[in-house]
Short mmCIF file of all heavy atoms in Angstrom, two decimals:
data_model
loop_
_atom_site.label_atom_id
_atom_site.label_comp_id
_atom_site.label_asym_id
_atom_site.label_seq_id
_atom_site.Cartn_x
_atom_site.Cartn_y
_atom_site.Cartn_z
N LEU A 247 -92.30 -1.02 -13.74
CA LEU A 247 -91.31 -0.30 -14.62
C LEU A 247 -90.46 0.61 -13.64
O LEU A 247 -89.24 0.75 -13.90
CB LEU A 247 -92.06 0.51 -15.64
CG LEU A 247 -92.54 -0.30 -16.89
CD1 LEU A 247 -93.34 0.58 -17.73
CD2 LEU A 247 -91.41 -0.90 -17.62
N ALA A 248 -91.10 1.22 -12.62
CA ALA A 248 -90.30 2.00 -11.74
C ALA A 248 -89.19 1.25 -11.00
O ALA A 248 -88.09 1.72 -10.90
CB ALA A 248 -91.24 2.63 -10.69
N VAL A 249 -89.67 0.01 -10.51
CA VAL A 249 -88.55 -0.75 -9.94
C VAL A 249 -87.44 -1.17 -10.97
O VAL A 249 -86.34 -1.18 -10.67
CB VAL A 249 -89.21 -2.07 -9.20
CG1 VAL A 249 -88.14 -2.94 -8.79
CG2 VAL A 249 -90.13 -1.59 -8.09
N GLY A 250 -87.93 -1.57 -12.19
CA GLY A 250 -87.06 -1.95 -13.16
C GLY A 250 -86.00 -0.84 -13.50
O GLY A 250 -84.84 -1.11 -13.65
N VAL A 251 -86.52 0.31 -13.65
CA VAL A 251 -85.59 1.49 -13.88
C VAL A 251 -84.52 1.66 -12.83
O VAL A 251 -83.44 1.74 -13.19
CB VAL A 251 -86.47 2.83 -14.02
CG1 VAL A 251 -85.44 4.04 -14.10
CG2 VAL A 251 -87.23 2.81 -15.33
N VAL A 252 -84.91 1.55 -11.55
CA VAL A 252 -84.00 1.63 -10.46
C VAL A 252 -83.02 0.45 -10.54
O VAL A 252 -81.78 0.66 -10.38
CB VAL A 252 -84.76 1.68 -9.07
CG1 VAL A 252 -83.74 1.66 -7.93
CG2 VAL A 252 -85.62 2.96 -9.02
N LEU A 253 -83.50 -0.71 -10.70
CA LEU A 253 -82.73 -1.96 -10.68
C LEU A 253 -81.58 -1.91 -11.74
O LEU A 253 -80.41 -2.12 -11.61
CB LEU A 253 -83.53 -3.15 -10.72
CG LEU A 253 -82.82 -4.50 -10.51
CD1 LEU A 253 -82.17 -4.59 -9.12
CD2 LEU A 253 -83.89 -5.63 -10.73
N PHE A 254 -82.13 -1.65 -13.07
CA PHE A 254 -81.23 -1.70 -14.19
C PHE A 254 -80.22 -0.55 -14.16
O PHE A 254 -79.08 -0.84 -14.54
CB PHE A 254 -82.06 -1.66 -15.52
CG PHE A 254 -82.94 -2.84 -15.79
CD1 PHE A 254 -84.13 -2.88 -16.28
CD2 PHE A 254 -82.40 -4.14 -15.39
CE1 PHE A 254 -84.93 -3.98 -16.48
CE2 PHE A 254 -83.10 -5.29 -15.61
CZ PHE A 254 -84.45 -5.21 -16.13
N ASN A 255 -80.68 0.58 -13.64
CA ASN A 255 -79.72 1.67 -13.50
C ASN A 255 -78.57 1.28 -12.53
O ASN A 255 -77.30 1.69 -12.78
CB ASN A 255 -80.41 2.99 -13.14
CG ASN A 255 -80.89 3.80 -14.26
OD1 ASN A 255 -80.02 4.35 -15.17
ND2 ASN A 255 -82.20 3.89 -14.52
N LEU A 256 -78.95 0.78 -11.49
CA LEU A 256 -77.96 0.41 -10.45
C LEU A 256 -76.98 -0.57 -11.03
O LEU A 256 -75.73 -0.50 -10.87
CB LEU A 256 -78.56 -0.21 -9.15
CG LEU A 256 -79.37 0.73 -8.30
CD1 LEU A 256 -80.07 -0.05 -7.20
CD2 LEU A 256 -78.44 1.67 -7.70
N PHE A 257 -77.51 -1.62 -11.79
CA PHE A 257 -76.56 -2.64 -12.36
C PHE A 257 -75.59 -1.91 -13.47
O PHE A 257 -74.49 -2.22 -13.48
CB PHE A 257 -77.47 -3.73 -13.07
CG PHE A 257 -77.96 -4.74 -12.09
CD1 PHE A 257 -79.17 -5.33 -12.26
CD2 PHE A 257 -77.29 -4.94 -10.84
CE1 PHE A 257 -79.67 -6.29 -11.41
CE2 PHE A 257 -77.80 -5.86 -9.97
CZ PHE A 257 -79.02 -6.55 -10.20
N PHE A 258 -76.26 -1.02 -14.26
CA PHE A 258 -75.47 -0.42 -15.32
C PHE A 258 -74.40 0.47 -14.75
O PHE A 258 -73.26 0.39 -15.16
CB PHE A 258 -76.42 0.47 -16.23
CG PHE A 258 -75.76 1.05 -17.37
CD1 PHE A 258 -75.14 0.22 -18.36
CD2 PHE A 258 -75.79 2.34 -17.62
CE1 PHE A 258 -74.57 0.68 -19.40
CE2 PHE A 258 -75.17 2.94 -18.77
CZ PHE A 258 -74.60 2.05 -19.66
N VAL A 259 -74.71 1.29 -13.70
CA VAL A 259 -73.65 2.18 -13.01
C VAL A 259 -72.62 1.29 -12.40
O VAL A 259 -71.44 1.64 -12.55
CB VAL A 259 -74.36 3.07 -12.02
CG1 VAL A 259 -73.19 3.80 -11.26
CG2 VAL A 259 -75.24 4.09 -12.65
N LYS A 260 -72.99 0.17 -11.84
CA LYS A 260 -72.01 -0.81 -11.25
C LYS A 260 -71.02 -1.33 -12.33
O LYS A 260 -69.86 -1.57 -12.05
CB LYS A 260 -72.74 -1.80 -10.41
CG LYS A 260 -71.82 -2.64 -9.53
CD LYS A 260 -72.55 -3.57 -8.60
CE LYS A 260 -71.70 -4.37 -7.65
NZ LYS A 260 -72.42 -5.28 -6.78
N MET A 261 -71.64 -1.82 -13.47
CA MET A 261 -70.95 -2.28 -14.46
C MET A 261 -69.97 -1.31 -15.16
O MET A 261 -68.82 -1.70 -15.64
CB MET A 261 -71.79 -2.96 -15.55
CG MET A 261 -72.57 -4.18 -15.01
SD MET A 261 -73.79 -4.74 -16.20
CE MET A 261 -72.87 -5.23 -17.62
N THR A 262 -70.39 -0.07 -15.27
CA THR A 262 -69.57 0.97 -15.96
C THR A 262 -69.21 2.08 -15.02
O THR A 262 -68.27 1.93 -14.24
CB THR A 262 -70.42 1.46 -17.24
OG1 THR A 262 -71.71 2.05 -16.72
CG2 THR A 262 -70.67 0.44 -18.18
N SER A 263 -70.04 3.21 -15.00
CA SER A 263 -69.78 4.30 -14.08
C SER A 263 -70.93 5.20 -14.21
O SER A 263 -71.79 5.14 -15.22
CB SER A 263 -68.52 5.02 -14.49
OG SER A 263 -68.66 5.78 -15.73
N ALA A 264 -71.14 6.16 -13.24
CA ALA A 264 -72.10 7.08 -13.35
C ALA A 264 -72.03 8.14 -14.46
O ALA A 264 -72.99 8.46 -15.09
CB ALA A 264 -72.18 7.98 -11.97
N ILE A 265 -70.78 8.34 -14.85
CA ILE A 265 -70.51 9.17 -16.00
C ILE A 265 -71.01 8.60 -17.26
O ILE A 265 -71.73 9.20 -18.21
CB ILE A 265 -69.01 9.61 -16.07
CG1 ILE A 265 -68.52 10.37 -14.90
CG2 ILE A 265 -68.78 10.36 -17.37
CD1 ILE A 265 -67.11 10.65 -14.85
#
Side-chain angles (χ1 to χ4, degrees):
L247 286 172
V249 172
V251 169
V252 174
L253 186 62
F254 292 142
N255 269 293
L256 287 174
F257 284 150
F258 187 56
V259 171
K260 190 171 183 179
M261 292 171 65
T262 56
S263 69
I265 296 175

